[in-house]
Amino acid sequence: MQNSLTAKKERDSWFDNIKGFLMICVVVGHFVGAYITRYPTFNFLYNFIYTFHMPAFAVVSGYFMKRRVEQKDFASVINKTVVPYMFAQVLVFLIGYIIPTARKSLQLNIFDVNGEFSFFFPLYQLWYFAAVIFAFIYCVAIKADKKPIRALVVSVALSVASGAFTYVQLFKLSKSMAFLPFFVIGFICTSGAMDFVKKKRLLAIPAVLVFAVTAVLMWLIRHDESPIPIFSLISRLNNFAYDLPFKYAVLVWLGFILGGTILSFALFSLCPRKKTPLAILGKRSSYVFILHAIFVALLKDFYIEKVLVYDLNDPIEKVILLLVAVAVCYVLVSKPVVKIFKPVIEPSFDIRKIREYLKID
């Protein structure tokens, strides 16, 4: 009996490896983002990462959203997203206040129209918290577990619609809608289908080919920054990259949804099944996701503004920057860091017990 209970609590190393690799992609993408206008190789790497890393993250989040949606467990979602989001919003505000030169690199739009601090305008990477909550509400409202095809079709329509109108900054609603199909794809993906991707190693061959073709395409356009708004789904359809006519811009938008999905599952099939050093990053991904903004700010302030390592002409210097980004990931999941920030990133307080604390009958 004890062994069976232990087995139930055991984490799936495959998913931890996936999330760990994706967290490295997030940090590397943000580190090299400051250099994409100067170095085509970093522009290539940035575009390549952005073709799959956020779609894959959304698919994984959607997949693990099933139980909470079925139980309409709003309290758990609030506990795991709202509390860390509020802490992160304050943290990045303080970073921008202490290090003014970092405000541009962190895209500090956490201020409302009056220029005052607000929780209603997520900054930098924190839009993802709002996207998770939006996807959860959507799946509950549309009963995605009972009508998965309808849920997917409507989510794609909403995604395209989000690009057809003025960008909504409030809770980054436009971006949440834009990435909604990926959450829904993960949500409607059955455990059997995911196990098939996990166990069928033959899928690794076409997966490698898919990534190879994507890498070649990104290399060919490494001197062009136009694809970046496409992969971030922030560009408006009437002002899309390459000045595409509206109908073709819609096709490109849909193409990114399809391509991002294919690349996501290709990545899943390539990730190792057994526990690797990536697993600890996946297990503690929230710490990396929230806290790496500190290091991005420092990079902007000391390396770029103060011209310490601005010119990375030597390939070795470029490699060192990438290694620093990876090292930052592991620093942020170290025991001292986790111990300090656990109360706000993984709060043990259960919002469902408020009634008990307030002695409400």
Side-chain angles (χ1 to χ4, degrees):
M1 178 64 73
Q2 186 176 358
N3 291 336
S4 64
L5 290 174
T6 303
K8 288 182 181 179
K9 294 181 179 179
E10 187 177 355
R11 294 181 64 92
D12 189 331
S13 296
W14 181 54
F15 278 113
D16 280 339
N17 289 332
I18 291 171
K19 291 195 294 181
F21 177 75
L22 291 174
M23 280 315 315
I24 289 178
C25 289
V26 169
V27 178
V28 168
H30 287 165
F31 264 57
V32 303
Y35 295 95
I36 58 177
T37 58
R38 286 181 63 88
Y39 305 109
T41 51
F42 278 163
N43 190 34
F44 153 73
L45 182 60
Y46 187 87
N47 283 332
F48 179 64
I49 287 173
Y50 271 73
T51 59
F52 67 87
H53 81 310
M54 292 317 298
F57 246 129
V59 171
V60 172
S61 296
Y63 182 75
F64 284 105
M65 201 180 287
K66 299 176 187 289
R67 181 185 58 80
R68 295 190 179 96
V69 169
E70 291 170 357
Q71 298 176 0
K72 297 182 180 178
D73 189 2
F74 285 90
S76 178
V77 173
I78 291 173
N79 214 46
K80 292 182 177 296
T81 56
V82 175
V83 176
Y85 165 73
M86 294 177 70
F87 159 72
Q89 192 80 335
V90 173
L91 173 68
V92 182
F93 166 75
L94 292 176
I95 294 173
Y97 182 79
I98 297 171
I99 310 176
T101 55
R103 292 177 184 174
K104 184 177 180 180
S105 61
L106 294 178
Q107 302 165 18
L108 284 184
N109 51 1
I110 52 177
F111 302 97
D112 62 17
V113 292
N114 296 318
E116 297 180 358
F117 176 80
S118 173
F119 286 110
F120 299 110
F121 299 92
L123 72 144
Y124 204 41
Q125 81 280 27
L126 302 184
W127 68 270
Y128 193 75
F129 286 104
V132 170
I133 296 174
F134 179 79
F136 174 81
I137 295 172
Y138 172 83
C139 287
V140 171
I142 205 168
K143 298 181 179 178
D145 53 332
K146 297 179 180 179
K147 297 182 178 180
I149 301 301
R150 183 187 68 170
L152 179 58
V153 171
V154 174
S155 71
V156 172
L158 288 174
S159 178
V160 174
S162 72
F165 301 100
T166 303
Y167 192 88
V168 179
Q169 288 285 2
L170 182 66
F171 289 119
K172 289 293 179 71
L173 182 60
S174 290
K175 197 162 186 177
S176 296
M177 288 175 61
F179 278 85
L180 180 60
F182 298 112
F183 287 96
V184 175
I185 288 168
F187 180 84
I188 66 178
C189 183
T190 65
S191 57
M194 198 63 83
D195 285 339
F196 179 83
V197 175
K198 177 181 179 180
K199 295 176 182 178
K200 296 295 181 180
R201 294 185 180 276
L202 288 176
L203 291 176
I205 297 174
V208 170
L209 293 176
V210 167
F211 273 105
V213 171
T214 304
V216 170
L217 291 174
M218 293 305 103
W219 180 256
L220 293 176
I221 61 173
R222 65 188 183 279
H223 296 283
D224 192 349
E225 296 175 45
S226 299
I228 294 174
I230 299 176
F231 302 144
S232 301
L233 292 184
I234 57 175
S235 181
R236 303 297 85 199
L237 288 170
N238 60 355
N239 188 31
F240 222 45
Y242 308 111
D243 295 323
L244 291 173
F246 185 85
K247 60 181 179 180
Y248 294 116
V250 170
L251 291 177
V252 172
W253 192 286
L254 294 174
F256 174 72
I257 294 175
L258 177 61
T261 302
I262 293 173
L263 285 168
S264 295
F265 284 95
L267 173 67
F268 299 161
S269 67
L270 291 174
C271 278
R273 281 69 174 166
K274 296 182 179 180
K275 190 174 183 179
T276 71
L278 292 172
I280 187 63
L281 297 180
K283 183 180 180 181
R284 298 173 178 173
S285 58
S286 296
Y287 293 86
V288 183
F289 188 73
I290 292 174
L291 300 176
H292 82 276
I294 299 172
F295 291 88
V296 174
L298 293 175
L299 173 73
K300 172 69 176 177
D301 185 51
F302 293 106
Y303 286 9
I304 299 178
E305 294 297 330
K306 297 183 180 176
V307 200
L308 291 182
V309 196
Y310 186 79
D311 291 315
L312 302 176
N313 296 318
D314 190 335
I316 295 178
E317 293 178 341
K318 294 185 177 72
V319 172
I320 290 175
L321 180 67
L322 299 179
L323 292 176
V324 168
V326 175
V328 164
C329 294
Y330 284 94
V331 168
L332 295 178
V333 297
S334 62
K335 289 183 178 179
V337 174
V338 172
K339 186 176 181 179
I340 293 171
F341 292 100
K342 187 172 184 177
V344 285
I345 294 180
E346 294 182 290
S348 57
F349 174 76
D350 190 340
I351 197 170
R352 287 167 290 196
K353 295 182 179 180
I354 283 182
R355 292 178 62 178
E356 296 179 16
Y357 294 129
L358 298 178
K359 296 181 180 180
I360 300 176
D361 296 328

